[in-house]
DNA sequence: TTGCTCCTCACGTCACGTGAGGTGGC
DNA sequence: TTGCTCCTCACGTCACGTGAGGTGGC
């Protein structure tokens, strides 16, 4: 109960919000995957932000089919915000890969449906082909290498020395939040000027990352699904960026 | 060893191509999920096309986290090609939903990364927000209703009475295969004329299905990942459609 | 004080994995 | 005949689920 103490979560609270049961958290504790850094006087588990980020990593890796034993070996204790940002960008890349894979399956299904409607039949081998596509020996094994490597922290600190791109984005985000707080209209001249800068940054940043531009296009469309705890980010995205880009693209065409 | 017998798979063969072990197929048999419709003289399991389509349904539903008990109740024995086509189109819709969800997560991650680089910190609640997004109480429960309903077959037969859209696609596919077999150059006038028709059909068909257009844009880009057993479909898509659309969009801009 | 959450055993379960010992099929 | 696949028990395991009996905290 100190003064500027950060929020702590109990097993039940955390479980509910993250979609896991109390029993699961107790099990992870017993197995040494995730032990809470604090306990109440009565011996109850209290999870800090560090613990929660570990849980986030666990659930992410688990969703790609890794065993708890594998996961245990490559969890990364977070010491700086940069490290978190780095791991998040890794996760985003993996998700982008997954999206591509699913798009491949969807388009193949579409073709097969067309062929069935045409021939009135489907061959055994085409069925098998679909299943080969769906399993596709998970190409995420590289994840373990990425995460397992103890040098990651060194790599990150190296990267940090010169990263003009990251710095540029930090500046843009600062500006975005400032504009929103100042109540600037996203459709105003000032708002549209900022939107143009943001768009230019996307174009630069998305270079060589085909999924990124799409990801940014999608931005805003899914805001309604974001949970309440997204906080200011949700408001800024919905109230400012969504409106700003709507007008921006309307004017462009 | 009859004359026009279709290809049969043994446990090992099927397992290898579908990414499951022999033991798994034996287990599914014992549990009554999937028993092969034929056996060799020596009592070995032989899987027909019907069985394989059941396995396809099992693996698809399993990949969305359903238990084998749940799956057992809603497997659909396929009696007509139309039924297979219908179930495939359901699967494609679910995949499209999944893609949307992943895109939402990716864009949210991107925003959070930006905020971290800006503030140099990430709040506990924002971490939790990411996890709420990632779990998102699987919205695929409706799948069970879709598949479980015994009336599905009736529904399908009803739909079949008037389906000008499906008929149009069947015609287009027929034409596509014919053109390819006739060795028509996709970049020729005849080829481009066909491409325009195909594109128009996409525009119509994609109405109200936001993922569809994207899915079709992606078409061709992932062909290299398609397995060999995709057969003529792979060749037609790669050799004809991919080339045809490349030129088509080049000319359009 | 009441109701809810959380605690630790401990046994159960789901979906297979892993040999053990024997047969089928090219 | 050899090597590989496949067969059926049967016990093991991974990641929890499910009470059983008791305590913590607003």
């Amino acid at each position: 109960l100190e003064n500027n103490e950060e929020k702590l979560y109990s097993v039940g609270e955390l479980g509910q919000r993250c979609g896991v049961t109390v029993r699961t958290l107790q099990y992870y504790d017993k197995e040494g995957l995730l032990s809470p850094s604090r306990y109440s006087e009565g011996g109850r588990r209290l999870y800090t932000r560090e613990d929660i980020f570990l849980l986030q990593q666990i659930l992410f890796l688990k969703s790609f089919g890794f065993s708890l034993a594998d996961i245990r070996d490559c969890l990364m204790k977070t010491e700086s915000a940069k490290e978190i940002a780095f791991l998040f960008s890794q996760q985003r890349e993996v998700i982008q890969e997954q999206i591509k894979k699913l798009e491949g399956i969807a388009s193949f299904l579409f073709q097969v449906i067309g062929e069935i409607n045409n021939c009135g039949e489907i061959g055994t081998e085409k069925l098998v082909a679909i299943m080969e596509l769906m399993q596709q020996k998970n190409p995420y094994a590289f994840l373990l290498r990425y995460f397992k490597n103890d040098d990651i922290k060194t790599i990150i600190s190296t990267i940090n020395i010169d990263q003009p791109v990251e710095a540029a984005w930090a500046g843009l985000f600062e500006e975005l939040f400032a504009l929103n707080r100042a109540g600037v209209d996203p459709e105003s001249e000032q708002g549209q000027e900022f939107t143009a800068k943001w768009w230019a940054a996307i174009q630069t940043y998305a270079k060589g990352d085909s999924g990124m531009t799409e990801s940014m296009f999608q931005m805003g469309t899914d805001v309604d699904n974001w949970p309440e705890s997204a906080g200011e980010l949700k408001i800024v995205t919905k109230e400012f960026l969504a409106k700003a880009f709507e007008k921006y693209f309307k004017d462009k065409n």
Side-chain angles (χ1 to χ4, degrees), chain A:
Chain A
L1 292 140
E2 291 168 32
N3 207 359
N4 63 1
E5 191 98 337
E6 63 163 332
K7 164 105 182 160
L8 298 176
Y9 286 92
S10 68
V11 258
E13 252 177 314
L14 188 60
Q16 196 180 0
R17 315 220 35 197
C18 300
V20 296
T21 66
V22 169
R23 176 70 183 116
T24 300
L25 290 171
Q26 288 168 346
Y27 179 68
Y28 289 171
D29 187 0
K30 195 188 169 196
E31 295 297 305
L33 261 105
L34 178 65
S35 300
S37 355
R38 301 206 194 163
Y39 288 88
S40 77
E41 290 178 14
R44 304 196 160 192
R45 297 173 179 84
L46 293 175
Y47 293 87
T48 68
R49 200 198 53 187
E50 286 220 347
D51 303 328
I52 296 175
F53 184 57
L54 284 174
L55 179 58
Q56 199 274 337
Q57 291 179 62
I58 292 171
L59 296 184
F60 179 78
L61 291 170
K62 213 163 79 75
S63 79
F64 283 95
F66 294 106
S67 73
L68 298 188
D70 283 338
I71 293 174
R72 197 200 333 258
D73 297 335
C74 59
L75 286 177
M76 186 167 135
K77 282 235 169 188
T78 160
E79 265 143 32
S80 73
K82 296 263 173 192
E83 285 171 2
I84 298 184
F86 176 76
L87 286 188
F88 276 158
S89 70
Q90 297 291 63
Q91 290 187 9
R92 207 192 58 76
E93 261 181 59
V94 172
I95 289 175
Q96 222 72 57
E97 283 298 313
Q98 178 73 353
I99 289 174
K100 272 190 205 167
K101 180 184 154 185
L102 290 177
E103 274 170 345
I105 297 172
S107 91
F108 189 57
L109 276 178
F110 178 76
Q111 305 281 19
V112 170
I113 292 167
E115 207 198 358
I116 295 174
N117 284 333
N118 178 24
C119 314
E121 272 252 355
I122 179 174
T124 312
E125 285 165 35
K126 211 136 290 170
L127 262 180
V128 172
I130 290 174
M131 296 158 87
E132 287 181 4
L133 257 188
M134 297 192 77
Q135 49 136 163
Q136 202 105 129
K137 262 299 175 200
N138 66 335
Y140 309 108
F142 78 93
L143 263 182
L144 288 183
R145 284 189 201 152
Y146 255 140
F147 287 89
K148 213 164 197 166
N149 199 333
D150 271 335
D151 308 309
I152 279 194
K153 297 204 179 189
T154 336
I155 294 170
I156 295 172
S157 57
T158 316
I159 293 172
N160 281 355
I161 296 175
D162 46 23
Q163 45 170 203
V165 180
E166 300 292 331
W169 274 108
L172 278 171
F173 267 93
E174 205 165 351
E175 198 173 337
L176 172 61
F177 281 101
L179 284 177
N180 188 61
R181 280 188 202 122
V184 172
D185 181 2
E187 304 194 349
S188 71
E189 201 177 331
Q190 194 184 357
Q192 288 296 300
E193 214 169 287
F194 172 76
T195 310
K197 272 204 292 189
W198 184 280
W199 181 239
I202 288 175
Q203 304 284 38
T204 312
Y205 191 76
K207 211 168 272 176
D209 182 349
S210 68
M212 178 59 98
T213 313
E214 269 175 63
S215 182
M216 298 307 302
F217 267 126
Q218 279 286 332
M219 185 189 65
T221 64
D222 289 302
V223 173
D224 293 328
N225 294 327
W226 290 7
E228 282 313 309
S229 39
E232 191 182 3
L233 207 53
K234 182 171 177 171
I235 297 166
V236 167
T237 304
K238 181 164 185 157
E239 300 292 312
F240 198 98
L241 274 183
K243 273 191 200 164
F245 269 109
E246 197 177 342
K247 182 174 163 58
Y248 186 74
F249 287 120
K250 219 177 261 170
D251 290 358
K252 245 191 156 182
N253 294 341

